Amino acid sequence: MALTVRVIAPDKTVWDANAEEVILPSTTGQLGILGGHAPLLTALDTGVMRVRSDKNWVPIALMGGFAEVENDEVTILVNGAERGDSINQEEARAAFAAAQEEFAKAQQSGSRQEFVKATRSLKRARARFQATGGMV
């Protein structure tokens, strides 16, 4: 059974096509969706979603949001999203390295606000780098 998958960000629709399988970065861990899945509503963490379409996996970096599964339709509403094939891997690698440095500085600073901001930036940079095929 095919799934109808839609990934909708505030500024664009990142994916709107059929797929055989979806793996989502839920807040409680990775969540696999196949045809015939039970109805579900889940919060999504910042991470990489993978969509299997025509035997190819397409990675999409998600910046948190929600997913609803019902009647073989998967609707994903996110704060931001980018397909892995639209991200420059070297730029993503550099951004990830910079985010790691900022995170290390924030851990040393003792400021809760800086730590939260650095953690969020690190998660976003990691998701973008992973979506390009970079191993993290």
Side-chain angles (χ1 to χ4, degrees):
M1 277 189 266
L3 297 166
T4 300
V5 181
R6 288 182 193 88
V7 178
I8 304 166
D11 58 339
K12 63 186 170 193
T13 298
V14 178
W15 181 276
D16 188 359
N18 288 335
E20 289 86 42
E21 182 176 1
V22 177
I23 299 175
L24 298 169
S26 79
T27 56
T28 58
Q30 297 292 308
L31 178 64
I33 308 292
L34 295 168
H37 197 284
L40 170 76
L41 180 63
T42 187
L44 298 176
D45 201 359
T46 297
V48 179
M49 165 188 171
R50 289 177 171 62
V51 181
R52 185 168 58 93
S53 178
D54 298 327
K55 299 184 183 178
N56 295 317
W57 286 96
V58 177
I60 301 172
L62 302 180
M63 304 307 159
F66 294 91
E68 178 186 40
V69 179
E70 191 168 14
N71 299 327
D72 291 332
E73 289 189 13
V74 182
T75 304
I76 300 158
L77 303 174
V78 291
N79 299 321
E82 289 180 85
R83 285 180 56 143
D85 56 11
S86 71
I87 302 170
N88 180 295
Q89 188 175 45
E90 287 309 310
E91 288 177 9
R93 181 188 318 272
F96 178 63
Q100 286 178 309
E101 289 177 22
E102 287 301 314
F103 180 75
K105 287 179 190 175
Q107 284 181 310
Q108 300 297 322
S109 76
S111 167
R112 177 80 175 140
Q113 185 177 2
E114 283 183 35
F115 180 75
V116 170
K117 184 179 176 184
T119 300
R120 189 176 310 125
S121 294
L122 181 62
K123 280 181 153 186
R124 287 174 175 260
R126 178 184 294 132
R128 290 185 79 245
F129 184 44
Q130 285 178 331
T132 68
M135 296 306 222
V136 183

